[in-house]
Coordinates of all heavy atoms in Angstrom, one line a residue:
M1 N 101.0 110.8 82.4 CA 101.1 112.2 82.6 C 102.2 112.8 81.7 O 103.3 112.4 81.7 CB 101.4 112.5 84.1 CG 101.5 114.0 84.4 SD 101.5 114.4 86.2 CE 103.1 113.8 86.7
S2 N 101.8 113.8 80.9 CA 102.7 114.4 80.0 C 103.0 115.8 80.4 O 102.1 116.6 80.6 CB 102.1 114.4 78.6 OG 103.0 115.1 77.7
I3 N 104.3 116.1 80.7 CA 104.7 117.4 81.1 C 105.7 117.9 80.1 O 106.6 117.3 79.7 CB 105.3 117.3 82.5 CG1 104.3 116.8 83.5 CG2 105.8 118.7 83.0 CD1 105.0 116.1 84.7
N4 N 105.5 119.2 79.7 CA 106.4 119.8 78.8 C 107.2 120.9 79.5 O 106.8 121.5 80.4 CB 105.7 120.5 77.6 CG 105.1 119.4 76.7 OD1 105.5 118.2 76.8 ND2 104.4 119.8 75.7
C5 N 108.5 121.0 79.1 CA 109.4 122.0 79.7 C 108.9 123.4 79.4 O 108.6 123.7 78.2 CB 110.8 121.8 79.1 SG 111.9 123.1 79.5
P6 N 108.7 124.2 80.4 CA 108.2 125.6 80.2 C 109.3 126.5 79.5 O 108.9 127.5 79.0 CB 108.0 126.1 81.6 CG 108.8 125.2 82.5 CD 109.0 123.9 81.8
S7 N 110.5 126.0 79.4 CA 111.5 126.8 78.8 C 111.6 126.5 77.3 O 111.7 127.4 76.5 CB 112.9 126.5 79.5 OG 113.9 127.2 78.8
C8 N 111.7 125.2 76.9 CA 111.9 124.8 75.5 C 110.8 124.0 75.0 O 110.8 123.6 73.8 CB 113.3 124.1 75.3 SG 113.3 122.4 76.0
N9 N 109.8 123.7 75.8 CA 108.6 122.9 75.4 C 108.9 121.5 75.0 O 108.1 120.8 74.4 CB 107.9 123.6 74.3 CG 106.4 123.3 74.3 OD1 105.8 123.2 75.4 ND2 105.7 123.3 73.2
S10 N 110.1 121.0 75.4 CA 110.4 119.6 75.1 C 109.6 118.7 76.1 O 109.2 119.1 77.2 CB 111.9 119.3 75.4 OG 112.1 117.9 75.4
A11 N 109.3 117.5 75.6 CA 108.5 116.5 76.5 C 109.5 115.6 77.2 O 109.1 114.7 77.9 CB 107.6 115.7 75.6
R12 N 110.8 115.8 77.0 CA 111.8 115.0 77.6 C 112.0 115.4 79.1 O 113.1 116.0 79.4 CB 113.1 115.0 76.9 CG 113.0 114.2 75.5 CD 114.3 114.3 74.8 NE 115.4 113.8 75.6 CZ 116.7 114.2 75.4 NH1 117.0 115.1 74.5 NH2 117.7 113.7 76.1
V13 N 111.0 115.3 79.9 CA 111.0 115.8 81.3 C 110.9 114.6 82.2 O 110.0 113.7 82.0 CB 109.9 116.8 81.5 CG1 109.7 117.1 82.9 CG2 110.1 118.1 80.7
T14 N 111.7 114.6 83.2 CA 111.5 113.5 84.2 C 111.4 114.1 85.6 O 111.9 115.2 85.9 CB 112.8 112.6 84.3 OG1 113.9 113.4 84.4 CG2 112.8 111.7 83.0
A15 N 110.7 113.4 86.5 CA 110.5 113.8 87.9 C 111.8 113.4 88.6 O 112.3 112.3 88.4 CB 109.3 113.1 88.5
R16 N 112.3 114.3 89.5 CA 113.5 114.0 90.2 C 113.2 113.2 91.5 O 114.0 112.4 91.9 CB 114.2 115.3 90.5 CG 114.5 116.1 89.2 CD 115.6 117.1 89.4 NE 115.2 118.2 90.4 CZ 116.0 119.0 91.0 NH1 117.3 118.9 90.7 NH2 115.6 119.9 91.8
N17 N 112.1 113.6 92.2 CA 111.7 112.9 93.4 C 112.7 112.7 94.4 O 112.8 111.7 95.1 CB 111.2 111.5 93.0 CG 109.8 111.5 92.2 OD1 109.1 112.5 92.4 ND2 109.5 110.5 91.4
H18 N 113.5 113.8 94.6 CA 114.6 113.7 95.6 C 114.0 113.5 97.0 O 114.4 112.6 97.8 CB 115.4 115.0 95.7 CG 116.3 115.1 94.5 ND1 117.0 114.0 93.9 CD2 116.7 116.2 93.8 CE1 117.7 114.4 92.9 NE2 117.6 115.7 92.8
A19 N 113.0 114.3 97.4 CA 112.4 114.2 98.7 C 111.8 112.9 98.9 O 111.8 112.3 100.0 CB 111.4 115.4 98.9
R20 N 111.2 112.3 97.9 CA 110.5 111.1 98.0 C 111.5 110.0 98.4 O 111.2 109.2 99.3 CB 109.8 110.7 96.7 CG 109.0 109.5 96.8 CD 108.3 109.2 95.4 NE 107.3 108.1 95.5 CZ 107.7 106.9 95.5 NH1 109.0 106.6 95.3 NH2 106.8 105.9 95.6
K21 N 112.6 110.0 97.7 CA 113.7 109.0 98.1 C 114.2 109.2 99.5 O 114.3 108.2 100.2 CB 114.8 109.0 97.0 CG 114.4 108.5 95.7 CD 115.4 108.9 94.6 CE 114.9 108.7 93.2 NZ 115.6 109.5 92.2
I22 N 114.5 110.4 99.8 CA 115.1 110.7 101.1 C 114.0 110.4 102.2 O 114.3 109.8 103.2 CB 115.5 112.2 101.2 CG1 116.7 112.4 100.3 CG2 115.9 112.5 102.6 CD1 117.0 113.9 100.0
G23 N 112.8 110.8 101.9 CA 111.7 110.5 102.8 C 111.5 109.0 103.1 O 111.3 108.6 104.2
G24 N 111.6 108.3 102.0 CA 111.4 106.8 102.1 C 112.5 106.2 103.0 O 112.2 105.4 103.9
A25 N 113.8 106.7 102.8 CA 114.9 106.1 103.6 C 114.8 106.5 105.0 O 114.9 105.7 105.9 CB 116.2 106.6 103.0
A26 N 114.5 107.9 105.2 CA 114.4 108.4 106.6 C 113.2 107.7 107.3 O 113.3 107.4 108.5 CB 114.2 109.9 106.6
G27 N 112.2 107.5 106.6 CA 111.0 106.9 107.2 C 111.3 105.5 107.6 O 110.8 105.0 108.6
A28 N 112.1 104.8 106.7 CA 112.4 103.4 107.1 C 113.2 103.3 108.3 O 113.0 102.5 109.2 CB 113.1 102.7 105.9
V29 N 114.2 104.2 108.5 CA 115.0 104.2 109.7 C 114.1 104.6 110.9 O 114.2 103.9 111.9 CB 116.1 105.3 109.5 CG1 116.9 105.4 110.9 CG2 117.1 104.8 108.4
G30 N 113.3 105.7 110.8 CA 112.5 106.0 111.9 C 111.5 105.0 112.2 O 111.2 104.7 113.4
G31 N 110.9 104.4 111.2 CA 109.9 103.3 111.4 C 110.6 102.1 112.0 O 109.9 101.5 112.9
A32 N 111.8 101.8 111.7 CA 112.5 100.6 112.3 C 112.7 100.9 113.7 O 112.6 100.0 114.6 CB 113.8 100.3 111.5
A33 N 113.0 102.2 114.1 CA 113.2 102.5 115.5 C 111.9 102.4 116.2 O 111.9 101.8 117.3 CB 113.7 104.0 115.6
T34 N 110.8 102.9 115.6 CA 109.5 102.7 116.2 C 109.2 101.2 116.3 O 108.7 100.7 117.3 CB 108.4 103.4 115.4 OG1 108.9 104.7 115.1 CG2 107.1 103.4 116.2
G35 N 109.6 100.5 115.2 CA 109.3 99.1 115.2 C 110.1 98.3 116.3 O 109.6 97.3 116.8
A36 N 111.3 98.8 116.6 CA 112.1 98.2 117.6 C 111.3 98.3 119.0 O 111.4 97.3 119.7 CB 113.4 98.9 117.8
A37 N 110.6 99.4 119.2 CA 109.8 99.5 120.4 C 108.7 98.5 120.4 O 108.5 97.8 121.4 CB 109.3 100.9 120.5
S38 N 108.0 98.4 119.2 CA 106.9 97.4 119.2 C 107.5 96.0 119.1 O 106.8 95.1 119.4 CB 106.0 97.7 118.0 OG 106.7 97.8 116.8
A39 N 108.8 95.9 118.6 CA 109.4 94.6 118.6 C 109.5 94.0 120.0 O 109.4 92.9 120.3 CB 110.8 94.7 118.0
A40 N 109.8 95.0 121.0 CA 109.9 94.5 122.4 C 108.6 94.0 122.8 O 108.5 93.0 123.5 CB 110.4 95.7 123.2
A41 N 107.5 94.7 122.5 CA 106.2 94.2 122.8 C 105.9 92.9 122.1 O 105.3 92.0 122.7 CB 105.1 95.3 122.5
G42 N 106.3 92.9 120.8 CA 106.1 91.6 120.1 C 106.8 90.5 120.7 O 106.3 89.3 120.7
A43 N 108.0 90.8 121.1 CA 108.9 89.7 121.7 C 108.2 89.2 123.0 O 108.2 88.0 123.2 CB 110.2 90.3 122.0
Q44 N 107.6 90.1 123.8 CA 107.0 89.7 125.0 C 105.8 88.8 124.7 O 105.7 87.8 125.3 CB 106.6 91.0 125.8 CG 107.7 91.5 126.7 CD 107.2 92.7 127.5 OE1 106.1 93.2 127.3 NE2 108.1 93.1 128.4
S45 N 104.9 89.3 123.8 CA 103.7 88.4 123.6 C 104.1 87.1 122.9 O 103.6 86.1 123.1 CB 102.7 89.2 122.8 OG 103.3 89.7 121.6
G46 N 105.2 87.2 122.0 CA 105.7 86.0 121.3 C 106.2 85.0 122.4 O 106.0 83.8 122.3
A47 N 107.0 85.6 123.3 CA 107.6 84.7 124.4 C 106.5 84.1 125.2 O 106.5 83.0 125.6 CB 108.5 85.5 125.2
A48 N 105.4 84.9 125.5 CA 104.3 84.4 126.3 C 103.6 83.3 125.6 O 103.3 82.2 126.2 CB 103.3 85.5 126.6
L49 N 103.4 83.5 124.3 CA 102.8 82.4 123.5 C 103.7 81.2 123.4 O 103.2 80.0 123.6 CB 102.5 82.9 122.1 CG 101.3 83.8 121.9 CD1 101.2 84.3 120.5 CD2 100.0 83.1 122.3
G50 N 105.0 81.4 123.2 CA 105.9 80.3 123.0 C 106.1 79.6 124.3 O 106.5 78.4 124.3
A51 N 105.9 80.3 125.4 CA 106.2 79.7 126.7 C 105.4 78.4 126.9 O 105.8 77.5 127.7 CB 105.9 80.7 127.9
V52 N 104.3 78.3 126.2 CA 103.5 77.1 126.3 C 104.3 75.9 125.9 O 104.2 74.8 126.4 CB 102.2 77.2 125.4 CG1 101.4 75.9 125.4 CG2 101.4 78.4 125.9
A53 N 105.2 76.1 124.9 CA 106.0 75.0 124.4 C 107.3 74.9 125.1 O 108.2 74.2 124.6 CB 106.3 75.3 122.9
G54 N 107.5 75.6 126.2 CA 108.7 75.4 127.0 C 109.7 76.6 126.7 O 109.4 77.5 126.0
P55 N 110.9 76.5 127.3 CA 111.9 77.6 127.2 C 112.3 77.8 125.7 O 112.5 79.0 125.4 CB 113.1 77.0 128.0 CG 112.6 75.9 128.8 CD 111.3 75.4 128.1
I56 N 112.5 76.8 125.0 CA 112.9 77.0 123.6 C 111.8 77.7 122.8 O 112.0 78.6 122.0 CB 113.3 75.7 122.9 CG1 114.5 75.1 123.6 CG2 113.5 75.8 121.4 CD1 114.8 73.6 123.2
G57 N 110.6 77.3 123.1 CA 109.4 77.9 122.4 C 109.3 79.4 122.8 O 109.0 80.3 122.0
A58 N 109.6 79.7 124.1 CA 109.6 81.1 124.5 C 110.7 81.9 123.7 O 110.4 83.1 123.3 CB 109.9 81.2 126.0
A59 N 111.9 81.4 123.6 CA 112.9 82.1 122.9 C 112.6 82.3 121.4 O 112.7 83.4 120.9 CB 114.2 81.2 123.0
L60 N 112.1 81.2 120.8 CA 111.7 81.3 119.4 C 110.5 82.3 119.2 O 110.5 83.1 118.3 CB 111.3 80.0 118.8 CG 112.4 79.0 118.6 CD1 111.9 77.6 118.1 CD2 113.4 79.6 117.5
G61 N 109.5 82.2 120.1 CA 108.4 83.1 120.0 C 108.8 84.6 120.2 O 108.3 85.5 119.5
G62 N 109.8 84.8 121.1 CA 110.3 86.2 121.3 C 111.0 86.7 120.1 O 110.8 87.8 119.7
L63 N 111.8 85.8 119.5 CA 112.5 86.2 118.3 C 111.6 86.6 117.2 O 111.7 87.6 116.5 CB 113.4 85.0 117.9 CG 114.6 85.4 116.9 CD1 115.6 86.3 117.7 CD2 115.3 84.1 116.5
A64 N 110.6 85.7 116.9 CA 109.6 85.9 115.9 C 108.9 87.2 116.1 O 108.7 88.0 115.2 CB 108.6 84.7 115.8
G65 N 108.5 87.4 117.3 CA 107.7 88.7 117.7 C 108.6 89.9 117.4 O 108.1 90.9 116.9
A66 N 109.8 89.8 117.8 CA 110.7 91.0 117.6 C 111.0 91.3 116.1 O 110.9 92.4 115.7 CB 112.1 90.7 118.3
I67 N 111.2 90.2 115.3 CA 111.4 90.4 113.9 C 110.2 91.0 113.2 O 110.3 91.9 112.4 CB 111.8 89.0 113.2 CG1 113.2 88.6 113.7 CG2 111.7 89.1 111.7 CD1 113.5 87.2 113.3
L68 N 109.0 90.4 113.5 CA 107.8 90.9 112.9 C 107.5 92.4 113.3 O 107.2 93.2 112.5 CB 106.6 90.1 113.4 CG 106.5 88.7 112.7 CD1 105.3 87.9 113.3 CD2 106.3 88.9 111.2
G69 N 107.8 92.7 114.6 CA 107.6 94.1 115.0 C 108.5 95.1 114.3 O 108.1 96.1 113.8
G70 N 109.8 94.7 114.1 CA 110.8 95.5 113.5 C 110.5 95.7 112.0 O 110.5 96.8 111.5
L71 N 110.1 94.6 111.3 CA 109.8 94.7 109.9 C 108.5 95.5 109.7 O 108.5 96.4 108.8 CB 109.5 93.3 109.4 CG 110.7 92.4 109.1 CD1 110.3 91.0 108.5 CD2 111.7 93.1 108.1
A72 N 107.5 95.3 110.5 CA 106.3 96.1 110.3 C 106.6 97.6 110.5 O 106.1 98.4 109.7 CB 105.2 95.6 111.2
G73 N 107.3 97.9 111.5 CA 107.6 99.3 111.8 C 108.4 99.9 110.6 O 108.1 101.0 110.2
G74 N 109.4 99.2 110.1 CA 110.2 99.7 109.0 C 109.4 99.9 107.7 O 109.5 101.0 107.1
A75 N 108.5 99.0 107.4 CA 107.6 99.1 106.2 C 106.7 100.3 106.4 O 106.5 101.1 105.4 CB 106.9 97.8 106.0
V76 N 106.0 100.4 107.5 CA 105.1 101.5 107.7 C 105.8 102.8 107.7 O 105.3 103.8 107.0 CB 104.3 101.3 109.1 CG1 103.6 102.6 109.4 CG2 103.4 100.1 109.0
G77 N 107.0 102.9 108.3 CA 107.7 104.2 108.3 C 108.2 104.6 107.0 O 108.1 105.7 106.6
S78 N 108.7 103.6 106.2 CA 109.1 103.9 104.8 C 108.0 104.4 104.0 O 108.2 105.3 103.2 CB 109.7 102.6 104.2 OG 110.0 102.8 102.9
L79 N 106.8 103.8 104.1 CA 105.7 104.2 103.3 C 105.3 105.7 103.7 O 105.0 106.5 102.9 CB 104.5 103.3 103.6 CG 103.5 103.1 102.5 CD1 104.1 102.4 101.3 CD2 102.3 102.3 103.1
A80 N 105.2 105.9 105.0 CA 104.8 107.3 105.5 C 105.9 108.3 105.0 O 105.5 109.4 104.6 CB 104.7 107.2 107.0
G81 N 107.2 107.9 105.1 CA 108.2 108.9 104.7 C 108.2 109.2 103.2 O 108.3 110.3 102.8
A82 N 107.9 108.1 102.4 CA 107.8 108.3 101.0 C 106.7 109.2 100.6 O 106.7 110.1 99.8 CB 107.7 107.0 100.3
R83 N 105.5 109.0 101.3 CA 104.4 109.8 101.0 C 104.6 111.3 101.4 O 104.2 112.2 100.7 CB 103.2 109.3 101.8 CG 101.9 109.9 101.5 CD 100.7 109.0 101.7 NE 100.8 107.8 101.0 CZ 100.2 106.7 101.2 NH1 99.3 106.7 102.2 NH2 100.3 105.6 100.5
M84 N 105.3 111.5 102.6 CA 105.6 112.8 103.0 C 106.5 113.5 102.0 O 106.4 114.7 101.6 CB 106.2 112.8 104.4 CG 106.2 114.1 105.1 SD 106.9 113.9 106.8 CE 108.6 113.7 106.4
G85 N 107.5 112.7 101.5 CA 108.5 113.2 100.5 C 107.8 113.6 99.2 O 108.2 114.6 98.6
E86 N 106.8 112.8 98.8 CA 106.0 113.1 97.6 C 105.4 114.5 97.7 O 105.4 115.3 96.8 CB 105.0 112.0 97.4 CG 105.4 110.9 96.5 CD 104.4 109.8 96.4 OE1 103.2 110.1 96.7 OE2 104.8 108.7 96.0
E87 N 104.8 114.8 98.9 CA 104.2 116.1 99.2 C 105.2 117.2 99.0 O 104.9 118.2 98.4 CB 103.5 116.1 100.5 CG 102.3 115.2 100.7 CD 101.2 115.7 99.7 OE1 100.8 116.9 99.9 OE2 100.7 115.0 98.9
I88 N 106.4 116.9 99.6 CA 107.4 118.0 99.6 C 107.9 118.2 98.1 O 108.0 119.3 97.6 CB 108.6 117.5 100.4 CG1 108.2 117.5 101.9 CG2 109.8 118.5 100.2 CD1 109.3 116.9 102.8
D89 N 108.1 117.1 97.4 CA 108.4 117.1 96.0 C 107.4 117.9 95.2 O 107.8 118.8 94.4 CB 108.5 115.7 95.4 CG 109.9 115.1 95.6 OD1 110.9 115.8 95.7 OD2 109.9 113.9 95.7
A90 N 106.2 117.7 95.4 CA 105.1 118.3 94.6 C 104.9 119.7 94.9 O 104.6 120.5 94.0 CB 103.8 117.5 94.9
H91 N 105.1 120.1 96.2 CA 104.7 121.5 96.5 C 105.9 122.4 96.9 O 105.8 123.6 96.8 CB 103.8 121.4 97.7 CG 102.5 120.7 97.4 ND1 101.6 121.1 96.5 CD2 102.1 119.5 97.9 CE1 100.6 120.2 96.4 NE2 100.9 119.2 97.3
V92 N 107.0 121.8 97.3 CA 108.1 122.7 97.8 C 109.3 122.8 96.8 O 109.8 123.8 96.5 CB 108.6 122.2 99.2 CG1 109.7 123.1 99.7 CG2 107.4 122.1 100.2
L93 N 109.7 121.6 96.4 CA 110.9 121.6 95.5 C 110.6 121.7 94.1 O 109.5 121.4 93.6 CB 111.6 120.2 95.8 CG 112.1 119.9 97.2 CD1 112.8 118.6 97.2 CD2 113.1 121.0 97.7
D94 N 111.6 122.1 93.3 CA 111.5 122.0 91.8 C 111.7 120.6 91.4 O 112.8 120.1 91.5 CB 112.5 123.0 91.2 CG 112.2 124.4 91.4 OD1 111.0 124.7 91.6 OD2 113.1 125.2 91.3
N95 N 110.7 119.9 91.1 CA 110.7 118.4 91.0 C 111.0 117.9 89.6 O 111.2 116.8 89.4 CB 109.4 117.8 91.6 CG 109.6 116.3 91.8 OD1 110.6 115.9 92.1 ND2 108.5 115.6 91.5
F96 N 110.9 118.8 88.6 CA 111.0 118.3 87.2 C 112.3 118.8 86.5 O 112.6 120.0 86.7 CB 109.8 118.6 86.4 CG 108.6 117.9 87.0 CD1 107.7 118.6 87.9 CD2 108.3 116.6 86.6 CE1 106.6 117.9 88.4 CE2 107.2 115.9 87.1 CZ 106.4 116.6 88.0
E97 N 112.8 118.0 85.7 CA 114.1 118.3 85.0 C 113.9 118.0 83.6 O 113.5 116.9 83.2 CB 115.2 117.5 85.6 CG 116.6 117.8 85.0 CD 117.7 117.1 85.7 OE1 117.4 116.2 86.5 OE2 118.9 117.5 85.4
C98 N 114.3 119.0 82.7 CA 114.2 118.9 81.3 C 115.5 118.3 80.8 O 116.6 118.8 81.1 CB 113.9 120.2 80.6 SG 114.0 120.1 78.8
H99 N 115.4 117.2 80.0 CA 116.7 116.6 79.5 C 117.1 117.2 78.2 O 118.2 116.9 77.7 CB 116.5 115.1 79.4 CG 116.5 114.4 80.7 ND1 117.6 114.0 81.3 CD2 115.4 114.1 81.5 CE1 117.2 113.4 82.5 NE2 115.9 113.5 82.6
A100 N 116.3 118.1 77.6 CA 116.7 118.8 76.4 C 117.5 120.0 76.7 O 118.6 120.2 76.1 CB 115.4 119.1 75.6
C101 N 117.1 120.8 77.7 CA 117.8 122.0 77.9 C 118.3 122.1 79.4 O 119.0 123.1 79.7 CB 116.9 123.3 77.6 SG 115.6 123.5 78.8
G102 N 118.0 121.2 80.2 CA 118.5 121.2 81.6 C 117.7 122.0 82.5 O 118.1 122.2 83.7
H103 N 116.6 122.6 82.1 CA 115.8 123.5 82.9 C 115.2 122.7 84.0 O 114.7 121.6 83.8 CB 114.8 124.2 82.1 CG 113.9 125.2 82.8 ND1 114.5 126.3 83.4 CD2 112.6 125.3 83.0 CE1 113.5 127.0 84.0 NE2 112.4 126.4 83.8
I104 N 115.2 123.2 85.3 CA 114.6 122.5 86.4 C 113.4 123.4 86.9 O 113.6 124.6 87.1 CB 115.6 122.3 87.5 CG1 116.6 121.2 87.0 CG2 114.9 121.8 88.8 CD1 117.8 121.1 87.9
F105 N 112.3 122.8 87.1 CA 111.1 123.6 87.4 C 110.1 122.7 88.2 O 110.3 121.5 88.4 CB 110.4 124.0 86.1 CG 110.0 122.9 85.2 CD1 108.7 122.4 85.2 CD2 110.9 122.3 84.3 CE1 108.3 121.3 84.4 CE2 110.6 121.2 83.5 CZ 109.3 120.7 83.5
S106 N 109.1 123.4 88.7 CA 108.0 122.7 89.4 C 106.7 123.0 88.7 O 106.6 123.9 87.9 CB 107.9 123.2 90.9 OG 107.4 124.5 90.9
L107 N 105.7 122.2 89.0 CA 104.4 122.3 88.3 C 103.6 123.5 88.7 O 102.7 124.0 88.0 CB 103.6 121.1 88.5 CG 103.9 119.9 87.7 CD1 102.9 118.8 87.9 CD2 104.0 120.3 86.2
D108 N 104.0 124.1 89.9 CA 103.2 125.2 90.4 C 103.4 126.5 89.7 O 102.7 127.5 89.8 CB 103.5 125.4 91.9 CG 103.0 124.2 92.7 OD1 102.1 123.6 92.2 OD2 103.6 124.0 93.8
Q109 N 104.5 126.6 88.8 CA 104.8 127.8 88.2 C 103.8 128.3 87.2 O 103.2 127.4 86.5 CB 106.2 127.7 87.5 CG 107.3 127.6 88.4 CD 108.6 127.3 87.8 OE1 108.7 126.9 86.6 NE2 109.7 127.5 88.5
Ligands
ZN201 ZN1 113.7 122.3 78.3

């Protein structure tokens, strides 16, 4: 994708993607929190499965279930947050910066 600065017509333009980065981080935190809830469920089912192998199996199964639940939640949340941030970058914020003259602009102009 080639974008030229509307002010000086330079091609030295980069996307800032502030909202995308913030969205990804916020989404990861929110997702991990959601993941923590599903981690509890994962821990329960993991413990139930592990219980077949005795108390140690139940503990290990619970741990594995909790870790998987937390990781999955964080990954999904991060993805969703980044996508939401991309939308904000594209439509709300001035997302492009010219390195020749410092002009900041959005594509909608
Ligand atoms: Zn420029």
